[in-house]
């Protein structure tokens, strides 16, 4: 008796199918073997280089890269002078140029986002990358300011000696470098954040002074009204603090002035960046702007009065990116309503506020169904056990008194009470079964084994 080997009859499907693919592509992949479980993945460095080259082809990106290189070089020179002067105030002021580097990088990111299209992974596009970049840059600026405050508190105990040789030159150089980047580059993301966020405490204190100056010199209204640029404001106030520090240290040898100036610049940096961090943080949390909520409620109320609209369900609106609002809503309409007409009207009402809008229309499918139809369906098992004679139990459409009457034990007293208090019940055969229904044509009962019969209102025994 020969043994049958089951494995010998099964063809090696894996090796045969894969080896055919490798024969065609072995010279391309440069690998050997019969099984390759994973396809070759793209390198992140190569993908970054490809996107970088695509951005570099734009005319605006060349200008940004030029300013970025000058800003990086100027920041390195300023840090060298900070080490030479041992000035904490100049270091705090140099941190503004680091933020300018982040600002230029955000400009490049904005150019890249404009080139991208929505993908399955990012169905709404890549615009939220700009929001995340602005939020990260403002938080890093505040973190740097906190380090300055911490170092300044330590210097208050033992004030170090400050060398004023490069202090004034460094202040002037940092001021012009910061103002040049602030007003030379049109950073859409930063500018929108500055306009949409609330005013800082420094802007509120300077606004009254700006109005007085503009009354004297009307030409400055474009720069100072309605609100002065917060980055220009912190650049000017920081430069004034450093000039006062230079005068006090050079004339009075008051080294603590440098520490106090550094703390003042750090506090102003935190006060300027904090409103922008709050604004971008709310966008990342997918919240709707407070000034839009009232308009959305008004538009929804107007849309609910359209012909065929019954109600709105699951309304959700949130800020997708800078100046872009997204939302979704479900609309329940009548059965005889025109879905396309309702969809067009609702979209026209909401599209002025919500650019990325998803509207789902569904008709009212509510129908009046009795519990008897639900229990009598084929998909629901009968709650009553089968009885002899294939008689069906009490109908679920009967009222409580009739159901109670069917469950009472048989007796002549119960029959007489039923005749007086309730409508008699007669049995109607239906498809081989007995169905109990109320009868209004006379009173008749037939009971086997007791010889008791009622026809009309007569009695015969």
């Amino acid at each position: 008796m020969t043994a049958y080997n089951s494995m010998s009859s099964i063809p090696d499907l894996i090796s045969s199918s894969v080896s055919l693919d490798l024969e065609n592509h072995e010279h391309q992949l440069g690998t050997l073997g019969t099984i390759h479980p994973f396809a070759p993945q793209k390198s992140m460095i190569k993908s970054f280089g490809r996107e970088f080259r695509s951005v570099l082809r734009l005319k605006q990106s060349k200008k940004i890269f030029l300013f970025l290189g000058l800003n990086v070089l100027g920041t390195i020179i300023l840090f060298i002078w900070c080490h030479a002067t041992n000035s904490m105030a100049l270091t705090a002021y140099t941190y503004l140029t680091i933020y300018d580097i982040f600002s230029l990088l955000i400009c490049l990111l904005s150019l890249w986002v404009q080139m991208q299209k929505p993908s399955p992974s990012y169905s709404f596009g890549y615009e939220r990358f700009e929001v995340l970049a602005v939020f990260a840059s403002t938080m890093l600026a505040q973190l740097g300011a906190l380090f300055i405050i911490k170092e300044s508190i330590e210097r208050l105990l033992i004030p170090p000696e400050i060398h004023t040789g490069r202090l004034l030159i460094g202040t002037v150089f940092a001021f012009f470098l910061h103002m040049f980047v602030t007003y030379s580059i049109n950073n859409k993301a930063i500018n929108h954040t500055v306009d949409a966020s609330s005013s800082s405490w420094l802007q509120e204190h300077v606004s009254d002074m700006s109005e007085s100056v503009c009354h004297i010199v009307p030409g400055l209204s474009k720069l100072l009204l309605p609100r002065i640029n917060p980055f220009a404001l912190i650049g000017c106030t920081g430069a004034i603090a450093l000039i006062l520090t230079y005068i006090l240290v050079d004339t009075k040898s008051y080294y603590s002035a440098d520490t106090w100036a550094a703390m003042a610049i750090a506090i102003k940096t935190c006060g300027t960046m904090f409103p922008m961090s709050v604004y971008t943080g709310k966008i990342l949390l997918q919240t709707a702007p407070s000034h839009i909520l009232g308009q959305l409620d008004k538009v929804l109320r107007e849309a609910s009065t359209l012909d065929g609209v019954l109600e709105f369900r699951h309304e959700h609106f949130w800020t997708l990116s800078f100046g872009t609002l997204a939302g979704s809503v479900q609309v329940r309409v009548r059965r005889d309503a025109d879905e396309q007409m309702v969809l067009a009207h609702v979209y026209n009402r909401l599209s002025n506020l919500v650019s990325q809008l998803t509207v789902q229309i569904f008709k009212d499918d509510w129908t009046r169904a009795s519990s008897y139809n639900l229990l009598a369906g084929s998909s629901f098992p009968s709650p009553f056990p089968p009885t002899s004679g294939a008689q069906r139990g009490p109908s679920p459409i009967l009222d409580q008194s009739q159901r109670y009457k069917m469950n009472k034990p048989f007796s002549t007293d119960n029959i007489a009470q039923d005749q007086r208090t309730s409508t008699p019940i007669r049995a109607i055969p239906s498809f081989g079964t007995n169905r109990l229904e109320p009868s209004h044509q006379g009173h008749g009962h037939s009971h086997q084994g007791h010889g008791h019969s009622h026809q009309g209102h007569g009695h015969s025994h």
Side-chain angles (χ1 to χ4, degrees):
M1 182 176 181
T2 59
Y4 177 74
N5 187 4
S6 61
M7 299 298 295
S8 61
S9 62
I10 300 176
D12 192 359
L13 298 178
I14 298 178
S15 61
S16 61
S17 61
V18 178
S19 61
L20 291 175
D21 182 73
L22 289 177
E23 288 176 0
N24 297 329
H25 302 282
E26 186 175 2
H27 63 281
Q28 297 178 2
L29 299 176
T31 56
L32 298 177
T34 59
I35 296 178
H36 292 267
F38 301 105
Q41 297 181 356
K42 297 181 180 180
S43 175
M44 184 179 296
I45 299 177
K46 293 182 179 179
S47 299
F48 179 79
R50 183 175 62 256
E51 299 296 336
F52 181 79
R53 288 190 297 270
S54 64
V55 174
L56 192 60
R57 296 190 188 99
L58 300 176
K59 184 181 298 185
Q60 298 177 357
S61 63
K62 297 179 181 179
K63 178 181 177 182
I64 295 174
F65 274 112
L66 178 61
F67 289 169
L68 183 62
L70 293 176
N71 202 357
V72 170
L73 181 61
T75 302
I76 294 174
I77 294 174
L78 285 173
F79 272 114
I80 294 174
W81 290 351
C82 290
H83 180 73
T85 58
N86 199 20
S87 173
M88 184 59 63
L90 185 60
T91 303
Y93 197 65
T94 305
Y95 278 10
L96 292 179
T97 60
I98 297 179
Y99 179 80
D100 293 336
I101 295 175
F102 293 151
S103 177
L104 294 173
L105 293 176
I106 292 173
C107 287
L108 294 175
L109 180 62
S110 299
L111 294 178
W112 178 80
V113 168
Q114 293 176 3
M115 299 171 57
Q116 303 303 314
K117 297 181 180 180
S119 63
S121 300
Y122 299 93
S123 57
F124 288 105
Y126 296 82
E127 295 179 353
R128 291 182 70 84
F129 283 26
E130 297 178 89
V131 184
L132 182 61
V134 175
F135 177 77
S137 61
T138 53
M139 292 301 296
L140 286 175
Q142 295 178 73
L143 183 61
L146 292 178
F147 278 110
I148 293 295
I149 294 175
K150 179 249 184 187
E151 293 292 334
S152 300
I153 293 175
E154 294 180 357
R155 286 197 172 198
L156 287 176
L157 302 177
I158 305 176
E161 184 178 357
I162 305 299
H163 305 284
T164 58
R166 302 286 182 178
L167 183 59
L168 187 60
I169 298 176
T171 300
V172 175
F173 179 73
F175 173 76
F176 281 105
L177 182 63
H178 175 68
M179 299 300 289
F180 178 75
V181 175
T182 300
Y183 286 103
S184 298
I185 299 297
N186 183 19
N187 194 333
K188 295 181 180 180
I190 297 295
N191 293 339
H192 178 85
T193 305
V194 170
D195 296 336
S197 61
S198 59
S199 301
S200 64
W201 61 270
L202 188 60
Q203 286 179 300
E204 293 178 355
H205 284 81
V206 177
S207 61
D208 297 335
M209 299 174 57
S210 300
E211 293 179 358
S212 301
V213 172
C214 290
H215 284 299
I216 301 173
V217 185
L220 296 177
S221 58
K222 294 182 179 180
L223 297 176
L224 302 181
L225 295 178
R227 296 186 303 179
I228 189 174
N229 191 307
F231 303 108
L233 182 59
I234 193 175
C236 295
T237 56
I240 293 173
L242 278 170
I243 292 174
L244 293 176
T245 300
Y246 172 79
I247 295 174
L248 292 175
V249 171
D250 190 47
T251 58
K252 304 292 184 180
S253 297
Y254 184 64
Y255 299 134
S256 297
D258 179 79
T259 304
W260 290 109
M263 294 181 66
I265 295 174
I267 292 173
K268 287 183 290 186
T269 301
C270 289
T272 302
M273 301 296 178
F274 181 75
M276 293 185 285
S277 299
V278 172
Y279 175 74
T280 53
K282 288 181 178 180
I283 296 178
L284 295 176
L285 292 176
Q286 295 186 349
T287 59
S290 58
H291 64 279
I292 297 294
L293 294 178
Q295 301 179 31
L296 285 174
D297 292 338
K298 180 181 178 181
V299 171
L300 288 176
R301 285 195 302 268
E302 293 176 355
S304 62
T305 60
L306 297 175
D307 184 24
V309 177
L310 296 179
E311 65 171 340
F312 290 101
R313 293 181 178 178
H314 307 295
E315 306 95 338
H316 180 51
F317 302 97
W318 71 96
T319 306
L320 182 64
S321 62
F322 297 126
T324 304
L325 197 67
S328 62
V329 62
Q330 295 181 359
V331 184
R332 186 168 69 93
V333 299
R334 292 198 312 265
R335 294 176 60 86
D336 58 344
D338 188 356
E339 297 180 359
Q340 297 298 327
M341 186 66 67
V342 173
L343 178 61
H345 283 301
V346 172
Y347 182 80
N348 290 333
R349 295 293 180 90
L350 293 175
S351 60
N352 294 329
L353 295 176
V354 185
S355 57
Q356 300 288 341
L357 180 61
T358 302
V359 180
Q360 181 182 0
I361 304 292
F362 64 96
K363 289 190 175 181
D364 186 16
D365 293 334
W366 182 85
T367 56
R368 188 181 300 275
S370 63
S371 59
Y372 174 74
N373 294 332
L374 294 177
L375 292 176
S378 59
S379 60
F380 294 90
S382 175
F384 305 103
T387 58
S388 60
Q391 290 187 350
R392 188 176 297 175
S395 174
I397 63 174
L398 299 178
D399 57 3
Q400 188 66 27
S401 62
Q402 292 171 343
R403 253 181 272 157
Y404 171 73
K405 193 167 54 174
M406 295 301 298
N407 293 330
K408 289 190 297 183
F410 174 79
S411 66
T412 56
D413 297 333
N414 292 339
I415 294 176
Q417 183 180 0
D418 293 342
Q419 295 177 356
R420 295 190 302 268
T421 60
S422 62
T423 304
I425 299 174
R426 59 187 178 90
I428 299 176
S430 176
F431 300 96
T433 59
N434 292 333
R435 177 180 171 187
L436 298 177
E437 292 186 356
S439 174
H440 300 281
Q441 299 178 358
H443 302 276
H445 295 272
S446 175
H447 304 281
Q448 298 179 0
H450 293 277
H452 192 82
S453 176
H454 304 279
Q455 298 293 335
H457 291 278
H459 297 270
S460 63
H461 298 278

